[in-house]
Amino acid sequence: MNPKKDLFKSYDLIMLILMFCLMFTSIIAIYSASKSGQYQGSFVVRQSIFYFIGLTVSILVAKIDLNRIKRINWIIYGTSIVFLIVLIFAPESIARPVNGAKAWFQLPFIGSFQPSEFMKISLLISISALVDKHNKIFKINNVKTDLILLCKILLISLPPSLIVLKQPDTGMTMIFLVIIFSIILCSKIKTSIVLFLISIPTLMISTLLVILTKFPNYFEVRILSLLMPHQRSRIEGWLNPFEHSDAGFQTKQGLLAIGTGQLSGKGYLNGVVYIPEEHTDFIFANIGEEFGFVGGALCIALFFLLLSRIVSISLDALKNANNLFGTLICVGTVSVLAFQIFQNIGMTIGLLPVTGITLPFLSYGGSSLLSNMILIGLTQSVRNSYNGYIFHSLSGGKYG
């Protein structure tokens, strides 16, 4: 068997091309951002290694049978929970708080390792498997069965969400909520229940916006006082970046970098605006400054092509193999990536508060890149599952 042909059978060629385009964009942007002299170290070399490992793992995951992944979902979930619990009690010698959050292991020869990045994968797989199994047991759903399903989802979602919120890592907690809501929306739960669930955060956000616009003093004195100090600081820096010079420094500098980039940018390696964490959280500001609106638009176009490809795989899985588990995996992946892209770019241009959520596939970081690569590998496993279903159907065999 030809290994190259076998690779392209298990891994979508279009997806592979997109991954290489994102890798190239990431490396040139990180190289430029690292020239600011914030940190010592070869980020380009490390990111290249992360990408090599990530692509390798993604291809290996793509080769794993989807039904096997579904069968071991509780093992994956349990292992991830154990890492989160160990992190709580780990000494600072291997789990040093960073920016007030104890969310990483610092391991010799390996570097930083963030368990919550892999918990999001476990949560996605476990909830998808749970919904798939529930719908097979209850062929006809009603209010009672839907409430039972929601309780099951809550039981497995609450422990990791509370642990991560306690770290504290608000950004990752929001990602968990995105996974939960996206799967609920596609889990065949009655529309009335889904609308009710959607109405709760919609009403809360609407109320806060009304208070913010009509009663700004009350918002600052009463509402913000309910938040933790670091959360309050980020909200204040977002709302008034020029008044709160410390809390809003990143937002202000990000706006300055992108604004001065104008249409075509200042040119590669010609960025002069200093931004803390430019190679990680604010990598898009670097792209906007040096390549302008054109460069930023091309990055967004790459993300759009990536997400549309996963959506296509999801629809094919449901249409060709009636594979709800695979469809939910793709739905969760698209939702997570779309949320991270929107949140990261939004906070860079001052549209949203700074949360520390990285830009998928472009920001520097091993844990986030590897976890996102695993998600892509899972979507490729879904693709292979319905290809296998079609093959078995044509040959008269049975699938899964």
Side-chain angles (χ1 to χ4, degrees):
M1 183 179 291
N2 191 323
K4 291 184 178 179
K5 289 184 178 180
D6 186 49
L7 167 63
F8 292 134
K9 284 181 180 179
S10 63
Y11 213 91
D12 183 17
L13 180 59
I14 296 175
M15 187 69 75
L16 198 62
I17 292 172
L18 289 172
M19 287 295 102
F20 276 107
C21 289
L22 289 168
M23 177 179 69
F24 176 75
T25 305
S26 173
I27 289 173
I28 63 170
I30 289 172
Y31 178 77
S32 174
S34 64
K35 291 298 181 180
S36 64
Q38 293 183 45
Y39 306 99
Q40 298 297 322
S42 180
F43 294 116
V44 171
V45 174
R46 292 180 185 175
Q47 186 76 349
S48 300
I49 294 172
F50 293 153
Y51 251 106
F52 175 76
I53 295 172
L55 276 171
T56 302
V57 172
S58 185
I59 291 170
L60 292 175
V61 171
K63 290 178 174 291
I64 301 175
D65 180 71
L66 193 65
N67 287 320
R68 184 174 297 178
I69 294 173
K70 183 165 61 174
R71 285 194 295 269
I72 64 171
N73 75 88
W74 288 115
I75 297 175
I76 299 172
Y77 177 87
T79 303
S80 300
I81 284 287
V82 167
F83 274 110
L84 287 178
I85 294 173
V86 170
L87 182 63
I88 297 173
F89 302 101
E92 291 194 6
S93 58
I94 61 170
R96 183 180 69 258
V98 178
N99 295 328
K102 191 178 181 182
W104 296 267
F105 286 108
Q106 286 87 25
L107 303 175
F109 308 108
I110 296 178
S112 297
F113 167 69
Q114 187 175 1
S116 58
E117 282 286 352
F118 301 94
M119 187 69 239
K120 75 181 182 186
I121 302 171
S122 307
L123 198 60
L124 171 60
I125 294 173
S126 298
I127 298 178
S128 299
L130 175 67
V131 171
D132 182 59
K133 183 178 179 180
H134 176 89
N135 285 339
K136 287 178 179 177
I137 295 173
F138 300 98
K139 301 293 184 181
I140 301 175
N141 66 316
N142 51 47
V143 174
K144 181 181 178 181
T145 60
D146 288 347
L147 291 177
I148 291 173
L149 177 57
L150 288 174
C151 288
K152 291 178 181 177
I153 293 174
L154 182 63
L155 282 174
I156 65 174
S157 304
L158 202 56
S161 299
L162 291 176
I163 293 173
V164 171
L165 188 61
K166 184 68 176 176
Q167 288 180 348
D169 191 342
T170 309
M172 188 57 67
T173 307
M174 292 167 63
I175 289 175
F176 288 178
L177 291 175
V178 168
I179 292 172
I180 296 164
F181 270 97
S182 64
I183 293 179
I184 288 175
L185 287 174
C186 301
S187 61
K188 301 182 181 179
I189 290 177
K190 287 187 176 298
T191 306
S192 57
I193 297 177
V194 172
L195 289 176
F196 174 74
L197 292 174
I198 293 175
S199 67
I200 296 173
T202 302
L203 182 61
M204 292 174 62
I205 294 172
S206 300
T207 303
L208 288 174
L209 289 175
V210 170
I211 294 173
L212 174 61
T213 54
K214 298 294 184 180
F215 311 101
N217 292 332
Y218 180 84
F219 182 86
E220 291 183 12
V221 175
R222 296 292 185 181
I223 305 298
L224 291 184
S225 64
L226 300 175
L227 301 177
M228 297 176 67
H230 75 282
Q231 295 172 331
R232 183 167 61 250
S233 174
R234 286 182 174 182
I235 296 295
E236 290 173 344
W238 166 53
L239 294 175
N240 301 296
F242 295 95
E243 290 184 18
H244 299 86
S245 56
D246 292 335
F249 184 73
Q250 279 184 305
T251 301
K252 183 174 63 177
Q253 294 300 99
L255 285 169
L256 181 62
I258 294 175
T260 55
Q262 299 184 12
L263 180 63
S264 57
K266 300 174 182 175
Y268 186 53
L269 299 179
N270 289 331
V272 295
V273 178
Y274 172 79
I275 309 173
E277 310 294 342
E278 188 177 9
H279 63 306
T280 55
D281 298 351
F282 277 74
I283 193 71
F284 189 78
N286 174 270
I287 294 171
E289 183 182 11
E290 297 189 350
F291 299 99
F293 174 81
V294 174
L298 287 174
C299 283
I300 294 173
L302 278 177
F303 285 130
F304 176 79
L305 291 172
L306 175 68
L307 297 179
S308 63
R309 190 60 185 163
I310 300 174
V311 170
S312 176
I313 292 171
S314 172
L315 294 175
D316 286 340
L318 194 60
K319 178 182 177 181
N320 296 326
N322 194 26
N323 188 345
L324 180 60
F325 174 69
T327 300
L328 294 177
I329 290 290
C330 291
V331 167
T333 299
V334 166
S335 301
V336 166
L337 294 179
F339 172 75
Q340 289 185 254
I341 293 165
F342 181 76
Q343 169 61 39
N344 182 275
I345 295 177
M347 74 181 191
T348 304
I349 61 176
L351 181 64
L352 296 170
V354 176
T355 59
I357 292 176
T358 57
L359 189 58
F361 306 107
L362 295 188
S363 294
Y364 172 82
S367 295
S368 60
L369 180 58
L370 182 56
S371 66
N372 289 330
M373 282 295 190
I374 292 174
L375 288 177
I376 297 299
L378 286 172
T379 65
Q380 298 304 293
S381 178
V382 173
R383 171 180 172 270
N384 295 333
S385 73
Y386 68 70
N387 284 342
Y389 177 87
I390 295 172
F391 174 78
H392 279 271
S393 297
L394 293 174
S395 62
K398 294 182 179 180
Y399 180 74

